[in-house]
Amino acid sequence: MERTDDSFVACMNRIDQQSISPVDFRTSRQGTICIASIDDVRPAAEALRDLARELSNFRVAACANIASKSAMNDADGNALASTVFGWPGSKDQWWKKPLLALSSPLPYACRYESEPFWANAHGIYTRAPNPLLDQIDLSHFAAEVNAAAAIVIPVHLPFGQIGVVSFSPIEEGRSDLSREFDLYADVLEYQARRFISGYSRVASQRHWIPRNCRLSKREVECLRWAALGKTDVEIAMILARSCATVRFHIHNAATKLEAVNRSQTVFKATQLGYLGSVAVSATQGHSHA
C-alpha cells in the first residue's frame, strides 16, 4: 500500500490500477467517525453508514463485543443496527440474538483471524492463508449472515475483547466481493477499527482490571505453566524450583491482579496479555532451558 499526501491507495495486482481512485481518509464526514464521548456514537455510526453506502452500497453490521449480549446503542439507548444502519425487522433483528456469535460463521471466524477478509457460501478469503478457517461450516451462510457475501473487519481489543464490523451489499444477489475487497478493505478497516475502539472506550467499564499491574518474569513463567494445567509440583520440576517458590510467585501474581483464586489469576493475566500464546511460549521456553 502506498501513501500519497492525505490519501491511501490500495495497490493490488489483480485490479487495473487506472480504475482505482484514491480513497481519502480525512474528509470532514469521515472525521466524525472519531468517538470521544457517548454523544459521538450516533454521528460516528451515521458517518460509517454513509461511507459504506458511498463506496459500494454496503449495509453495516457492527458488534463491539461478540461475547456480550448487549447491542450497540446510541446515547439514548437506541439500537444502531435498526435506527442507523437500516436493518429491517424482516431480518429477525440479529442484534437481539445472544447466541449469534456461537452460530454465525463471521464472528466465529473473527476468533481465529485478526485481518480483514471477505466471505460467501463458497469460502472465507483472506490476504494470507489461514488454515484455521478452512473447517468453518458455510452451508447456511445466507441465512446466518443475512447476505450472500460480506467484507468483515475483525477488531481485537485489549482484555481479550473481539469486535466485528461487516459490510454486505444492500441489494440481493451480489455474492462476489473480491474486487470491492481489493479496492476498499483498507479504508473500511481503518474506519471500522476507529468506530469499535471508540465505542468500547466510552460505553464500557472495567473496574475488575487492576491498574498499573506489572508481573515479574518468574510470575509470568509460573502462570504460563499453570495455564497449561500443570500443578505446583509439576511446575517446580519443570523450572527446577521448590514448590514453595512456585506457590510464592503465583500468590504474588494473584495479589497484583486482585484475583481470588488460581483460575482467575490465570484469566486476568491472559486478559492483560502476559501469557500470550501460552502453549507455544511455555514449551519453547522449556526446550531452551
Side-chain angles (χ1 to χ4, degrees):
M1 188 161 61
E2 65 178 273
R3 179 168 183 171
T4 58
D5 297 326
D6 291 340
S7 300
F8 284 83
V9 183
C11 298
M12 300 292 180
N13 293 331
R14 290 172 290 174
I15 301 296
D16 180 4
Q17 295 299 309
Q18 294 181 350
S19 67
I20 299 177
S21 298
V23 180
D24 190 355
F25 277 62
R26 299 187 181 180
T27 65
S28 59
R29 174 179 57 77
Q30 292 178 27
T32 61
I33 294 178
C34 180
I35 299 175
S37 72
I38 192 67
D39 292 326
D40 296 327
V41 168
R42 190 177 186 90
E46 291 171 346
L48 186 62
R49 174 200 63 195
D50 294 344
L51 171 66
R53 291 181 180 178
E54 177 185 317
L55 291 181
S56 194
N57 201 28
F58 287 139
R59 179 181 284 124
V60 178
C63 178
N65 187 350
I66 62 175
S68 173
K69 298 180 181 179
S70 302
M72 295 185 71
N73 299 321
D74 64 15
D76 297 320
N78 301 308
L80 299 178
S82 56
T83 61
V84 176
F85 297 140
W87 287 95
S90 60
K91 295 298 184 181
D92 298 323
Q93 296 185 323
W94 58 264
W95 57 96
K96 293 185 178 181
K97 296 182 177 180
L99 298 180
L100 185 67
L102 301 178
S103 59
S104 174
L106 299 188
Y108 185 77
C110 290
R111 299 181 190 276
Y112 297 96
E113 177 61 54
S114 60
E115 292 295 315
F117 61 88
W118 75 275
N120 59 18
H122 303 292
I124 297 176
Y125 308 97
T126 57
R127 287 168 170 163
N130 185 345
L132 296 175
L133 304 178
D134 294 342
Q135 302 303 314
I136 295 179
D137 184 7
L138 302 174
S139 57
H140 303 289
F141 184 91
E144 293 173 332
V145 177
N146 293 320
I151 293 175
V152 183
I153 312 298
V155 183
H156 289 247
L157 297 169
F159 316 120
Q161 180 176 330
I162 300 175
V164 56
V165 181
S166 68
F167 301 87
S168 56
I170 294 178
E171 67 272 29
E172 297 182 1
R174 285 171 61 190
S175 61
D176 184 351
L177 298 181
S178 56
R179 183 177 186 278
E180 291 85 347
F181 182 77
D182 285 344
L183 288 174
Y184 307 127
D186 291 312
V187 66
L188 293 177
E189 177 186 14
Y190 176 78
Q191 301 293 16
R193 291 188 187 280
R194 292 182 73 201
F195 179 65
I196 294 295
S197 62
Y199 180 89
S200 297
R201 185 169 54 251
V202 302
S204 63
Q205 310 234 346
R206 297 188 180 88
H207 300 300
W208 56 273
I209 291 292
R211 296 185 178 182
N212 196 30
C213 177
R214 300 184 182 184
L215 301 184
S216 71
K217 177 182 177 181
R218 289 300 183 192
E219 290 163 357
V220 171
E221 195 172 34
C222 290
L223 288 179
R224 282 176 175 165
W225 287 110
L228 289 172
K230 301 298 184 182
T231 65
D232 290 347
V233 173
E234 291 171 324
I235 297 173
M237 294 176 63
I238 292 170
L239 300 180
R241 298 288 188 275
S242 69
C243 287
T245 298
V246 171
R247 286 193 291 269
F248 172 79
H249 288 312
I250 293 179
H251 174 75
N252 276 357
T255 301
K256 292 178 180 179
L257 292 166
E258 300 175 7
V260 298
N261 54 37
R262 186 189 188 97
S263 297
Q264 193 181 51
T265 302
V266 170
F267 173 74
K268 287 191 173 185
T270 302
Q271 293 291 87
L272 289 172
Y274 278 108
L275 305 190
S277 182
V278 177
V280 174
S281 57
T283 54
Q284 285 183 344
H286 180 54
S287 65
H288 294 156

